[in-house]
Structures are given as structure tokens and as C-alpha cells.
Amino acid sequence: MKSIVIAIDGHSSTGKSTVAKKLAKALEYKYVDTGAMYRAVTLFALRNQWIKAGEVKVNSLINQLPSIKINFEYNGSDGTNDVFLNGENVETEIRAMQVSEHVSSVAKIDEVRQKLVQIQKQLGEEKGIVMDGRDIGSVVFPKAELKIFMTASADIRAQRRYNELKEKGEDINFEEVLKNVQHRDNIDSNRKNSPLIQADDAIKIDNSHMSQEEQFEKILNLAIERIKST
Ligand code: DC
């Protein structure tokens, strides 16, 4: 069977990563979570005190970009990849609310995007990959054989994210999470460079009222069809 590139884009907290991971496992493909890469750069900026009162010290971050190394390593315990920042596994730390609050501001910096897009293109050179993000079908792999665009209502996405954070023991209220989801939608969709848009040839899936299983089955079938016809 031929290997293809599967691009999964969409709004934050639509469950892209969950379905992308499952799909990669079922197809024995590589999985890359590009949001984790933007989060790792944000963590780097936070640790260097370059984000204060919501403002990013853009020049300091750009100057230090060459010293940021981001890679993925196989995690034997759950069979997926963890993201590493300069050799340190930061998979857990990048999911904290503090990183979520600022990641959109970092992700809109042109130089950050150029660096990460270049790494993402290299990771997909051999195909056989499922990559999720915001601009995978539009910018990173405009020729991806299968493009999915996932969305759901902001309220439903915030509720899912709230449940996840609560389970991890974060002290958080629903309104705060909803605001963060809306804020990220706004920045992601309106930024100048590679805004979140549905590629013309992407298949839209609104999962507001779909179970994870239904959604997975639908995407898996689309992938199998596409692999057979490629
Ligand atoms: O998928 P996520 O929520 O972990 O993504 C974190 C942020 O990174 C999100 O606000 C948008 C940004 N992002 C992006 O701009 N481009 C990507 N390909 C992936 C994520």
C-alpha cells in the first residue's frame, strides 16, 4: 500500500491530536503534533522571562531561535511521540494553562513559523505521516493526499478542555477556559501569517455532536479510501 500525507487542521480543542494519534497507530504512520512545537517555543520564551503581561519580547526570542532545538522521541509507554526542547522532555509542561494562554502570541511570529514549518516539511518528506495543526493542509503540505478540517462550537470545546484540565488537577474555572478558547480562535484565525483557514480541498468535520469513535471511523475510512486510490 502506498504511503500518503494526512493533514488534520482545525480549531483548538477539537480533539485533533486524539484522532490523529489513533489514526497514525492504525495505519502504522508517523504522528506529529505541530501544536506541541509552538508550545515548546512558548515554554522557552516563558522560561527566559520574555513574556510579560501578555507581551512577547519578539526580538529576544527571534535572536535566540537558532539555539532552540525541537524534536520528537518515541514514548514507549503510550506508543506516541513526546516533544523535546533542547534535549528535555517537555510533553507535560507544555500543556499547562500558562503556556496555552500565550502560545497564540508566539505562533503568530513569522520567524517562529518559518523555523517550525521547515522542520515539519522535513518530518514529512518520506510520507506515511499524520500531522495535525492549523496550517498543515494550507501551508506545510498543500499537496497532502488527505486533508481534514475539524471544528466544533466554542462552548463544547471549552467544556472538553475544562474537563481535561480538571482531571489533571488544575485550579481553573469554566469561564476562563472559554475565554482562552475564544481568544485563541480569534488570534489563530486573524493572524497575518498562515491564519487558520480550511483549505479548499479539505473535508470539514464538525464534531460538536459526534463521539470520538464515530469521528475516528469516519476519518479512518476516508484515509483507507485515499490510500487505495493514490
Ligand atoms: O493544537 P494546540 O492547541 O496544541 O496548538 C497550540 C497553538 O499553536 C494554537 O493556539 C495555534 C498554534 N498552532 C499554529 O499556529 N500552527 C500549527 N500548525 C499548530 C498550532
Side-chain angles (χ1 to χ4, degrees):
M1 253 198 313
K2 238 183 137 185
S3 286
I4 64 167
V5 172
I6 302 176
I8 302 190
D9 291 301
H11 289 102
S12 56
S13 303
T14 43
K16 294 187 296 294
S17 304
T18 308
V19 79
K21 257 184 223 164
K22 245 176 123 174
L23 187 64
K25 198 167 181 195
L27 298 171
E28 295 184 6
Y29 274 22
K30 190 154 69 169
Y31 164 63
V32 173
D33 171 1
T34 61
M37 300 169 79
Y38 289 94
R39 287 171 178 271
V41 175
T42 306
L43 180 64
F44 182 86
L46 282 166
R47 284 179 173 177
N48 281 285
Q49 323 276 328
W50 293 333
I51 307 181
K52 289 267 166 66
E55 284 295 313
V56 183
K57 286 192 181 164
V58 177
N59 288 336
S60 305
L61 179 56
I62 291 173
N63 285 337
Q64 287 305 310
L65 274 179
S67 69
I68 303 180
K69 184 172 179 286
I70 290 173
N71 65 297
F72 290 92
E73 282 184 29
Y74 181 71
N75 171 337
S77 65
D78 73 357
T80 63
N81 292 321
D82 285 350
V83 68
F84 280 65
L85 169 65
N86 292 336
E88 176 192 351
N89 186 334
V90 291
E91 187 61 40
T92 306
E93 220 177 320
I94 57 160
R95 310 287 163 196
M97 195 65 194
Q98 204 202 2
V99 174
S100 300
E101 268 170 21
H102 301 293
V103 63
S104 292
S105 306
V106 170
K108 71 180 182 190
I109 302 170
D110 290 4
E111 289 79 355
V112 170
R113 301 203 71 80
Q114 279 160 19
K115 178 182 170 103
L116 298 188
V117 166
Q118 192 195 3
I119 302 173
Q120 290 154 13
K121 285 184 191 248
Q122 280 166 3
L123 289 169
E125 264 168 7
E126 289 170 17
K127 301 204 172 192
I129 192 165
V130 182
M131 191 174 277
D132 79 53
R134 304 293 188 288
D135 59 344
I136 311 307
S138 56
V139 174
V140 184
F141 296 118
K143 292 189 180 150
E145 286 84 355
L146 177 61
K147 300 179 186 176
I148 304 287
F149 188 88
M150 284 171 55
T151 189
S153 76
D155 265 15
I156 286 183
R157 288 184 285 130
Q159 189 63 53
R160 290 175 185 158
R161 186 94 192 101
Y162 172 81
N163 295 346
E164 258 174 46
L165 290 167
K166 272 279 172 201
E167 255 174 49
K168 284 186 199 154
E170 288 219 23
D171 181 21
I172 201 95
N173 71 54
F174 175 75
E175 284 306 316
E176 204 178 327
V177 180
L178 178 61
K179 263 199 207 135
N180 176 255
V181 164
Q182 290 166 333
H183 175 68
R184 281 207 283 163
D185 282 358
N186 189 23
I187 301 188
D188 292 347
S189 304
N190 295 310
R191 69 174 171 234
K192 186 165 73 12
N193 189 352
S194 317
L196 169 65
I197 44 157
Q198 182 182 343
D200 288 343
D201 50 351
I203 298 166
K204 181 171 170 176
I205 297 183
D206 183 330
N207 64 22
S208 300
H209 304 291
M210 255 176 146
S211 71
Q212 281 192 9
E213 288 69 28
E214 278 170 331
Q215 166 171 272
F216 173 66
E217 286 302 319
K218 185 174 171 127
I219 298 177
L220 179 63
N221 287 333
L222 286 168
I224 292 171
E225 260 173 40
R226 210 49 69 92
I227 292 168
K228 281 188 185 154
S229 66
T230 298

